[in-house]
Amino acid sequence: MKLDKCLKIALNMVMHSPLRSWLTIVGIVIGVASVIAIVSLGNGLQNQVNSQLSSLNANLVTLSPGFERGQGGGFGRFGGGPGGFGGAASTAVATLGKNDVRALQSISEISLINTQISGRTNVSFGGESGNLQVSGVDPKTWSQITSSKVGQGRFLEPSDKGVVVIGYSLASGFFKSPITLGKDISIEGKSFKVIGITSDTGRFDRSITMPIDDAYGVLGSTKTRDDYDNIQVVLKDGTDIDAAVAKITAVLMSSRNVKTQDFTVSSTKDLQQSVSSVTSSLTLFLTAIAAVSLLVGAVGIANSMFTSVLEKTKEIGIMKAVGAKNRDIMTIFLFNAGLIGLVGGLLGVVLGTIASSFISSLLTGSGISLPGIGGRGGGSVTLVSVDILIGVLAISVFVGLLSGVIPAYQASKLKPVDALRYE
Amino acid sequence: MEKTHPTDKPIVVLKDVWKTYSMGEVKVHALKNVSLEIRHGDFVAIVGPSGSGKSTMMNLVGCLDTPTKGTVFLESRDITKMSESDLASLRGKTIGFIFQQYNLIQNMSAFENVLLPLELQEFDDYSAEKRAAELLKLVGLGDRMGSRPTQLSGGQQQRVSIARSLAANPEVVLADEPTGALDSVTGREVLETLHRLWKTEGKTIILVTHDMNLARYAQRFIELKDGEVVRVEKNRDVQKVDYRLPEKQQGIG
Ligand SMILES: Nc1ncnc2c1ncn2[C@@H]1O[C@H](COP(=O)(O)OP(=O)(O)O)[C@@H](O)[C@H]1O
Ligand SMILES: [Mg+2]
């Protein structure tokens, strides 16, 4: 029998499938849809992370107290300029201080040094208050190092005192009334004048940045004056970053006079590598979970195929009586299974695409933000690529075929008399 | 005036055939050392009481089953030695089946059911569709081609199955109790259709029935009893058939 005729018969079988077969298809649909939703979410995240990372200054190197092998000085720090979760939590003893800055100044590859501290503290405005992250930075260099852009007003200047630059999201949406330029906000009872607001990049930004001397005043209980949570340095253009990191490490080791490294030097490059390895393993992990549901769908198809072969035993006998060969029966049932995979895959692709845009709007619309990755207005959090759709569809058809092989073989091997006698 | 059939060349030969069914310890000998020859153009009725082995014999003649012992020849080829796909192909080309329960495929229209053997034989679409339509007209169902089996009466379904049995233009038409599920008038009309095919198309017809009234249409009787051939004889009183068909068939069922 020609293949197109086998396909026609198989199609006819699918069209007249009982409800049970459609339930099988639902299994595949869910499997395919979840693979697509999850993979697209993973890809979208990776995409956003990458674009944020690439907006970072490639020449930026961050030093933090305490030694963490391999990893950078904490993820929270990238993208948002100053801030971070304080990578030194594990080592209370080692600190970074003025001596380290002096040692760094002697390194010719370094063009800028910014010392900073940060912590959460009580901030109030217009009768409301909240607990927010406050960063103290070196007003001489911060404006040249930060990846934030100023939207209104200006950045900090060397002589500034008692002033802050705040993030766009904080200014426009945190308190009931928006904070505008020139207003005073109260931090730990001290009054600070807002001289700058960052521009709206679509990214979630509630930062408060002030000169480091002021910050010791408001974060005083947790910070020791002249100890830094981290030091950012910018290398001169064209510097070999790995060599510079090695040199900085060596210089600080000798100036601190330590045998085992008690600080961490991480470059943007390191950060990019470790972040993308985390996001890709996350994506892989999620995909594996989704693949399990696809597997469940496959078992469903196989089960449905076995039942279908039983139900169609008589028809198989009839077809054999009128001249069908084993190969024809095998082909028809394989097509049948493949079509179930295809139909399930197509519906799954549609559902998965809808689900992924739904997830995207859920994450962005509600202002939910993953650390450092906001999405408000800044494009979709998920990324559905044609490659994935086609790939998943192909997998779904393949899974259908694979799960149909044994039932189809069984069907083809039925003896015509036995099949015809089946009721 | 009657067309004489070339009855010299055997088309089906059973030689010392045994068929034994084992059900656990119990062995049922459905056929015991049966030998027979059916020639081109024969119209044979296989008769005998229920359980005598008629269907078992039909299945062997139709290559749907293989004997436990002995050999079956179809067109001089030993079916026990043929590959599955050669046998299927030979069966499809040489034999058309008509079953008691019609055995139409429920999800296919009358037309698609008749088309199926032609598709299996890889006829080109145009001639296959033309032939299927012609055959349905021949059995008086030209206006019911799109109907599904459930939308047809028993008699109409059996006519679809007759059309299907003829689709690939086989040498032999095997009919196992074709009227068993029909009332006597409809049953007689189905028999008359078969008779006409034999007469005008020169087909070899093998009819299984336990009803001697229907067997009278045949030229020869082969009587089975307890799995053995007990009588082979010529019908001296062939039923006279009135050939005003197919118009008359419009009323069947
Ligand atoms: N598949 C089978 N398994 C066991 N016994 C069978 C099977 N088919 C037929 N028989 C037995 O073989 C004998 C002949 O059956 P069958 O050929 O169907 O007779 P008939 O068609 O003349 O009524 C009966 O005793 C029947 O019970
Ligand atoms: Mg029988």
Side-chain angles (χ1 to χ4, degrees):
Chain A
M1 198 178 205
K2 293 198 180 100
L3 287 183
D4 60 327
K5 302 300 174 200
C6 292
L7 185 62
K8 189 184 80 176
I9 293 176
L11 198 62
N12 187 43
M13 275 186 195
V14 175
M15 306 261 270
H16 292 94
S17 301
L19 181 63
R20 179 180 40 71
S21 299
W22 290 101
L23 292 178
T24 308
I25 291 179
V26 169
I28 288 290
V29 171
I30 291 171
V32 166
S34 50
V35 167
I36 288 174
I38 287 171
V39 171
S40 70
L41 183 63
N43 278 359
L45 289 184
Q46 203 148 6
N47 213 32
Q48 291 227 343
V49 167
N50 287 344
S51 78
Q52 303 230 340
L53 286 178
S54 64
S55 76
L56 288 183
N57 187 344
N59 290 326
L60 187 72
V61 172
T62 304
L63 291 87
S64 41
F67 183 61
E68 294 170 49
R69 189 176 297 277
Q71 297 296 317
F75 290 121
R77 203 168 285 122
F78 68 84
F85 300 133
S90 57
T91 44
V93 193
T95 55
L96 291 173
K98 276 209 153 55
N99 288 336
D100 299 301
V101 174
R102 224 165 285 131
L104 291 169
Q105 278 161 346
S106 71
I107 298 173
S108 59
E109 284 88 345
I110 294 176
S111 64
L112 292 168
I113 300 173
N114 173 34
T115 52
Q116 53 184 37
I117 61 170
S118 60
R120 296 190 80 86
T121 189
N122 205 44
V123 178
S124 49
F125 175 74
E128 287 176 89
S129 66
N131 194 256
L132 287 164
Q133 181 91 3
V134 172
S135 303
V137 299
D138 183 343
K140 291 191 288 295
T141 53
W142 174 69
S143 62
Q144 297 161 72
I145 291 180
T146 182
S147 60
S148 302
K149 301 271 181 301
V150 69
Q152 299 169 52
R154 59 172 180 82
F155 273 149
L156 299 176
E157 283 171 6
S159 59
D160 278 335
K161 244 181 161 357
V163 297
V164 290
V165 173
I166 62 172
Y168 177 86
S169 325
L170 174 58
S172 59
F174 187 72
F175 295 111
K176 270 206 199 81
S177 53
I179 307 171
T180 53
L181 228 44
K183 287 262 167 63
D184 282 346
I185 61 174
S186 170
I187 303 172
E188 286 291 317
K190 295 188 176 103
S191 177
F192 288 84
K193 183 175 180 164
V194 176
I195 54 149
I197 297 172
T198 63
S199 61
D200 181 12
T201 56
R203 198 193 295 154
F204 186 71
D205 183 2
R206 283 182 183 167
S207 62
I208 299 174
T209 310
M210 62 176 67
I212 191 163
D213 289 336
D214 289 330
Y216 284 118
V218 296
L219 298 172
S221 55
T222 54
K223 307 291 171 187
T224 318
R225 195 165 284 267
D226 295 338
D227 277 353
Y228 310 125
D229 287 343
N230 61 67
I231 302 174
Q232 294 181 316
V233 303
V234 174
L235 303 172
K236 288 176 179 152
D237 278 342
T239 310
D240 176 338
I241 291 167
D242 290 335
V245 167
K247 186 171 180 184
I248 290 166
T249 309
V251 166
L252 283 189
M253 295 266 291
S254 82
S255 84
R256 291 167 74 86
N257 201 14
V258 291
K259 290 212 168 51
T260 50
Q261 193 176 338
D262 60 353
F263 57 93
T264 304
V265 184
S266 57
S267 62
T268 303
K269 204 175 110 191
D270 294 338
L271 189 64
Q272 283 168 345
Q273 278 167 0
S274 56
V275 168
S276 60
S277 90
V278 168
T279 51
S280 59
S281 53
L282 185 72
T283 306
L284 197 69
F285 171 69
L286 292 175
T287 308
I289 292 174
V292 169
S293 55
L294 205 55
L295 192 71
V296 172
V299 174
I301 292 190
N303 180 44
S304 165
M305 286 294 297
F306 276 114
T307 329
S308 164
V309 166
L310 271 188
E311 280 176 356
K312 301 239 175 266
T313 302
K314 182 123 192 178
E315 285 185 16
I316 292 167
I318 297 169
M319 290 197 244
K320 287 200 160 185
V322 301
K325 297 174 182 169
N326 288 4
R327 205 192 50 212
D328 298 326
I329 303 292
M330 177 96 188
T331 312
I332 288 169
F333 276 83
L334 273 185
F335 271 142
N336 187 17
L339 280 172
I340 291 178
L342 181 69
V343 171
L346 282 174
L347 293 177
V349 160
V350 172
L351 191 71
T353 311
I354 293 170
S356 101
S357 64
F358 179 72
I359 291 171
S360 175
S361 65
L362 202 70
L363 286 180
T364 52
S366 64
I368 292 171
S369 158
L370 299 154
I373 309 164
R376 197 166 46 84
S380 177
V381 181
T382 56
L383 185 74
V384 182
S385 74
V386 177
D387 293 4
I388 293 172
L389 296 188
I390 292 173
V392 172
L393 204 56
I395 290 172
S396 163
V397 172
F398 176 75
V399 159
L401 286 175
L402 197 67
S403 50
V405 167
I406 294 170
Y409 179 77
Q410 277 195 343
S412 78
K413 284 293 168 200
L414 284 171
K415 262 173 74 179
V417 254
D418 297 334
L420 277 170
R421 196 171 322 126
Y422 189 89
E423 288 302 332
Chain B
M1 160 188 166
E2 274 196 359
K3 185 173 169 185
T4 47
H5 290 79
T7 53
D8 43 356
K9 211 169 98 211
I11 185 162
V12 182
V13 176
L14 268 61
K15 203 155 173 277
D16 309 326
V17 164
W18 288 75
K19 184 72 194 181
T20 309
Y21 295 107
S22 319
M23 296 186 297
E25 294 294 290
V26 190
K27 283 195 176 359
V28 179
H29 298 289
L31 289 179
K32 300 172 197 162
N33 204 25
V34 168
S35 294
L36 66 89
E37 247 184 49
I38 293 167
R39 290 165 187 279
H40 275 279
D42 248 351
F43 188 157
V44 185
I46 297 172
V47 294
S50 179
S52 57
K54 304 185 296 294
S55 294
T56 304
M57 189 150 116
M58 286 293 290
N59 291 336
L60 292 173
V61 170
C63 310
L64 295 173
D65 205 355
T66 47
T68 313
K69 233 165 44 182
T71 36
V72 176
F73 295 94
L74 180 65
E75 302 229 297
S76 324
R77 299 179 68 183
D78 183 350
I79 68 157
T80 56
K81 296 204 167 69
M82 286 172 74
S83 74
E84 173 276 328
S85 87
D86 286 347
L87 188 58
S89 165
L90 182 66
R91 174 169 60 228
K93 282 193 191 71
T94 319
I95 299 168
F97 290 92
I98 303 168
F99 301 96
Q100 178 174 357
Q101 292 303 331
Y102 329 128
N103 284 354
L104 298 174
I105 294 180
Q106 298 299 312
N107 289 328
M108 291 185 183
S109 66
F111 182 70
E112 288 168 328
N113 267 288
V114 179
L115 205 55
L116 183 61
L118 296 162
E119 290 174 341
L120 284 163
Q121 297 300 323
E122 305 196 352
F123 276 59
D124 69 87
D125 286 1
Y126 175 76
S127 41
E129 284 169 20
K130 190 162 160 260
R131 181 159 175 81
E134 279 169 5
L135 284 166
L136 281 168
K137 281 190 200 107
L138 184 76
V139 296
L141 290 172
D143 55 342
R144 301 302 303 270
M145 297 207 283
S147 305
R148 288 182 192 286
T150 45
Q151 298 164 328
L152 297 172
S153 70
Q156 287 171 326
Q157 289 188 60
Q158 195 57 300
R159 275 145 60 198
V160 174
S161 111
I162 292 172
R164 181 182 63 186
S165 76
L166 297 171
N169 200 16
E171 282 287 330
V172 184
V173 174
L174 288 186
D176 190 352
E177 309 267 10
T179 62
L182 302 173
D183 65 75
S184 61
V185 176
T186 319
R188 202 166 321 114
E189 298 196 354
V190 164
L191 251 294
E192 285 175 6
T193 308
L194 281 178
H195 194 268
R196 181 162 51 87
L197 287 170
W198 171 68
K199 205 78 188 158
T200 59
E201 310 270 325
K203 301 278 181 224
T204 307
I205 310 267
I206 305 175
L207 167 72
V208 168
T209 182
H210 62 272
D211 182 347
M212 277 313 289
N213 279 329
L214 296 173
R216 285 188 302 128
Y217 287 91
Q219 272 192 312
R220 277 206 301 158
F221 305 128
I222 296 174
E223 189 176 339
L224 283 178
K225 203 174 171 210
D226 294 332
E228 286 173 299
V229 177
V230 292
R231 184 167 67 111
V232 178
E233 80 179 26
K234 219 174 139 51
N235 182 6
R236 268 167 250 102
D237 178 27
V238 178
Q239 173 77 31
K240 293 281 177 292
V241 179
D242 178 9
Y243 293 111
R244 279 175 302 150
L245 305 168
E247 288 77 13
K248 187 185 163 198
Q249 291 201 329
Q250 303 285 352
I252 298 183

